[in-house]
């Protein structure tokens, strides 16, 4: 019997190892669809209205599951009392990673910033994360710094053909910079203050906080009108299930497992992957320079995350 049990464990190890190894690349693939979703959904709803619906949709799916599974709020170690400090940390991370990042990117694009420019600005995140992480005690070697620099160079090559002066205003630049700040600080914040929590309850806390953060912006700056077309429904469904539940859960697991710099370096692969998707789906140009940038970005990520 013991031999059978050990045999089962041995068979499970390769599958677990394969899953762990595939998580970063699956995350990049799903996360990269964000700009594609924006292209489909943005004509039918304003940014914060769409994001509110997206976050609310996650709650509609997750809250019943959490209630039926009787998932508790974070508890104080060794006690049944709710750890409200942990709840607060999880909520702050959600505000930064969800409302701050997505709100800034979507609003900037809605106001006319080219997607390539916004991708380049947000693509600075790994470098910024590395600088913050070093201040918080995370060690980054020469090989990783080289990878970070190669990554940003690759991103620049990918989006170079999309750069243009139109849509670059103080407002759009401020929004994109705010998005960059939010996802950078959010990644480091979660890694240091709440790296381990139940993903089910954590998702409810984070998306509830993000949804509430959207409300004042919806009422102050938007009409809250939605055109319920097939494209809008498809974009919203994909945003809720694949991006907000699937990709974000993978991001949380990656943050839990790895250093902030290694996790953030995966963002270098988002613009190249998005460019390939846009080429396949919309016929957008994907010149040789962009292909070279994609290879360079992938090489940079490989240098950063290699053990």
């Amino acid at each position: 019997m013991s031999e059978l049990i050990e045999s089962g464990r041995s068979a499970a190890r390769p599958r677990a190892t394969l899953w762990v190894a595939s998580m970063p690349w699956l995350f990049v693939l799903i996360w990269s669809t964000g700009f594609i979703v924006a292209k489909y959904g943005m004509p039918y709803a304003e940014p914060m209205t769409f994001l509110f619906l997206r976050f609310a949709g996650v709650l509609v799916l997750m809250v019943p599951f959490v209630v039926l599974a009787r998932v508790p709020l974070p508890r104080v170690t060794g006690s049944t009392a709710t750890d409200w400090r942990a709840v607060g940390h999880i909520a702050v991370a959600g505000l930064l990673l969800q409302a701050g990042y997505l709100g800034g990117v979507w609003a900037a694009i809605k106001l006319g910033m080219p997607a390539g420019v916004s991708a380049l600005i947000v693509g600075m995140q790994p470098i910024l994360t590395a600088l913050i992480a070093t201040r918080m005690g995370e060690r980054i070697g020469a090989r990783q710094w080289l990878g970070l620099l190669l990554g940003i160079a690759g991103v620049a090559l990918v989006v170079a053909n999309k750069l243009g002066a139109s849509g670059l205003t103080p407002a759009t630049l401020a929004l994109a910079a705010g998005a960059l700040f939010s996802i950078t600080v959010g990644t480091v914040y979660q890694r240091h203050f709440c790296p381990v929590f139940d993903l089910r309850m954590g998702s409810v806390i984070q998306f509830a906080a993000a949804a509430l953060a959207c409300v004042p912006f919806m009422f102050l700056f938007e009409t809250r009108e939605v055109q319920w077309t097939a494209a809008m429904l498809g974009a919203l469904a994909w945003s809720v299930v694949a991006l907000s539940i699937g990709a974000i859960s993978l991001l949380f697991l990656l943050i839990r497992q790895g250093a902030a710099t290694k996790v953030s370096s995966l963002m270098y692969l988002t613009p190249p992957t998005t460019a390939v998707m846009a080429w396949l789906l919309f016929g957008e140009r994907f010149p040789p320079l962009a292909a070279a940038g994609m290879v360079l970005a992938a090489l940079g990520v490989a240098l950063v995350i290699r053990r």
Side-chain angles (χ1 to χ4, degrees):
M1 178 64 72
S2 61
E3 292 178 356
L4 288 174
I5 294 175
E6 184 60 33
S7 176
R9 289 175 178 171
S10 299
R13 288 191 194 107
R15 290 195 294 270
T17 302
L18 179 62
W19 164 243
V20 171
S22 65
M23 279 171 51
W25 315 114
L26 182 60
F27 166 75
V28 169
L29 185 63
I30 299 175
W31 192 258
S32 298
T33 64
F35 282 109
I36 305 299
V37 166
K39 192 175 183 72
Y40 277 113
M42 197 171 289
Y44 309 108
E46 292 162 298
M48 301 310 290
T49 299
F50 186 95
L51 291 176
F52 174 81
L53 294 172
R54 172 174 168 173
F55 301 149
V58 175
L59 294 174
V60 168
L61 293 178
M62 291 297 298
V63 168
F65 178 74
V66 166
V67 172
L68 290 174
R70 297 182 178 180
V71 181
L73 286 165
R75 290 176 175 172
V76 177
T77 304
S79 170
T80 58
T82 299
D83 188 345
W84 291 108
R85 176 175 292 184
V87 172
H89 283 315
I90 295 170
V92 169
L95 288 172
L96 292 167
L97 291 171
Q98 303 297 334
Y101 166 65
L102 292 173
V105 169
W106 278 57
I109 294 175
K110 183 70 173 181
L111 292 178
M113 173 174 278
V117 177
S118 63
L120 180 59
I121 293 174
V122 177
M124 294 293 293
Q125 187 225 343
I127 289 288
L128 193 56
T129 299
L131 293 174
I132 295 175
T134 54
R135 292 283 186 177
M136 301 185 72
E138 186 174 309
R139 296 187 62 184
I140 301 174
R143 172 174 52 80
Q144 290 177 305
W145 279 115
L146 175 61
L148 290 168
L149 294 174
L150 287 177
I152 194 63
V155 170
L157 289 177
V158 169
V159 303
N161 67 305
K162 298 184 179 182
L163 296 178
S166 61
L168 297 184
T169 66
T172 57
L173 289 172
L175 287 166
L180 169 62
F181 174 83
S182 288
I183 193 170
T184 301
V185 176
T187 300
V188 177
Y189 187 95
Q190 181 161 310
R191 173 63 183 165
H192 284 270
F193 292 104
C194 49
V196 179
F197 55 83
D198 188 290
L199 290 178
R200 299 164 296 178
M201 180 56 74
S203 295
V204 169
I205 294 170
Q206 293 204 340
F207 285 108
L212 289 174
C214 292
V215 173
F217 294 96
M218 290 168 54
F219 280 89
L220 289 174
F221 304 109
E222 298 182 353
T223 64
R224 302 175 301 285
E225 295 180 359
V226 179
Q227 300 178 44
W228 294 103
T229 64
M232 170 64 188
L233 290 171
L236 184 60
W238 181 262
S239 294
V240 170
V241 178
L243 286 166
S244 289
I245 295 179
I248 294 299
S249 295
L250 285 170
L251 177 62
F252 290 170
L253 290 172
L254 290 168
I255 291 174
R256 181 180 298 179
Q257 291 181 357
T261 302
K262 291 184 178 181
V263 174
S264 65
S265 70
L266 295 172
M267 297 300 177
Y268 279 148
L269 297 179
T270 300
T273 307
T274 302
V276 172
M277 291 179 178
W279 171 59
L280 293 172
L281 294 173
F282 308 122
E284 294 187 7
R285 292 180 63 244
F286 191 70
L289 191 65
M294 187 172 185
V295 173
L296 199 60
L299 176 61
V301 171
L303 288 174
V304 173
I305 67 176
R306 195 184 74 185
R307 296 183 183 278

